[in-house]
Amino acid sequence: GESVGLHLPTLSVQEGDNSIINCAYSNSASDYFIWYKQESGKGPQFIIDIRSNMDKRQGQRVTVLLNKTVKHLSLQIAATQPGDSAVYFCAENTYNQAGTALIFGKGTTLSVSS
Amino acid sequence: SAVISQKPSRDICQRGTSLTIQCQVDSQVTMMFWYRQQPGQSLTLIATANQGSEATYESGFVIDKFPISRPNLTFSTLTVSNMSPEDSSIYLCSVGTGLSYEQYFGPGTRLTVT
């Protein structure tokens, strides 16, 4: 079936480093991808999205890269801060009976030490 | 983005009982979704609740176990029926704007079944 997964369950970095979180997806027909950040005890928070007609999209301190050839998605966080510590999920859009739905990957826990 | 609240934020329930979770949005939205997040896991879509139609359930989830109401464009409820310890999870509602595929999440309801 369709699935979205992340390469590493955990990532530890030092404050100020750049972080790269990876995600592999399986559905080549997916046309939209999102990265979410989930802090402990909270719901997922939208970070950045990208459509399949783009290779790269930049936000504030974050960049998402999409490689459709190998079905790979990555989230780059520049100058990582302790407040970036959270679980990061990628999600891809799919189409179902209700219209559209998001399929979430397994998540990567980012730990930032100062 | 919409502001989403959920009630209760957490609860401890006995097996065999039912719990109704409320999701309130501060603006009218077309699409509302209910997810389950088991401890340490990713998010799994339970159902899509669009106003004016029956909820659409994903594979593995049935209406008898997770009845959903969507009486208007700002409110939805999810009931977890005849609970067992395996239902212990975080239950999250999210909303879609309908303009794109992004979804915004509530803070979640942490359910523990003893």
Side-chain angles (χ1 to χ4, degrees), chain B residues 50-68:
Chain B
N50 293 334
Q51 197 269 339
S53 62
E54 295 289 321
T56 303
Y57 290 82
E58 297 300 304
S59 176
F61 299 96
V62 295
I63 188 172
D64 289 347
K65 176 67 176 178
F66 297 102
I68 288 170

Side-chain angles (χ1 to χ4, degrees), chain A residues 32 36 38 43 95-96 104-105, chain B residues 37 42 58 101-103 105-106:
Chain A
Y32 178 80
Y36 284 95
Q38 187 175 29
Y95 298 94
N96 61 10
F104 282 77
Chain B
Q37 187 176 26
S42 185
E58 297 300 304
Y101 301 128
E102 63 197 70
Q103 294 179 22
F105 284 83

Side-chain angles (χ1 to χ4, degrees), chain B:
Chain B
S1 62
V3 176
I4 304 159
S5 60
Q6 288 185 232
K7 289 181 181 179
S9 58
R10 59 177 61 231
D11 207 342
I12 301 173
C13 301
Q14 291 192 338
R15 68 174 68 207
T17 63
S18 298
L19 176 71
T20 296
I21 302 167
Q22 299 178 5
C23 179
Q24 180 76 52
V25 190
D26 69 342
S27 58
Q28 294 184 337
V29 294
T30 304
M31 305 173 74
M32 294 183 78
F33 306 87
W34 286 99
Y35 289 82
R36 181 175 72 183
Q37 187 176 26
Q38 294 177 306
Q41 302 297 312
S42 185
L43 285 74
T44 300
L45 180 64
I46 298 171
T48 301
N50 293 334
Q51 197 269 339
S53 62
E54 295 289 321
T56 303
Y57 290 82
E58 297 300 304
S59 176
F61 299 96
V62 295
I63 188 172
D64 289 347
K65 176 67 176 178
F66 297 102
I68 288 170
S69 76
R70 181 78 200 274
N72 56 52
L73 292 174
T74 63
F75 187 78
S76 179
T77 67
L78 169 76
T79 299
V80 186
S81 302
N82 188 25
M83 289 183 285
S84 67
E86 292 70 34
D87 294 319
S88 297
S89 289
I90 299 171
Y91 291 86
L92 295 143
C93 72
S94 72
V95 304
T97 63
L99 299 176
S100 70
Y101 301 128
E102 63 197 70
Q103 294 179 22
Y104 297 95
F105 284 83
T109 295
R110 185 179 294 272
L111 171 63
T112 301
V113 183
T114 60

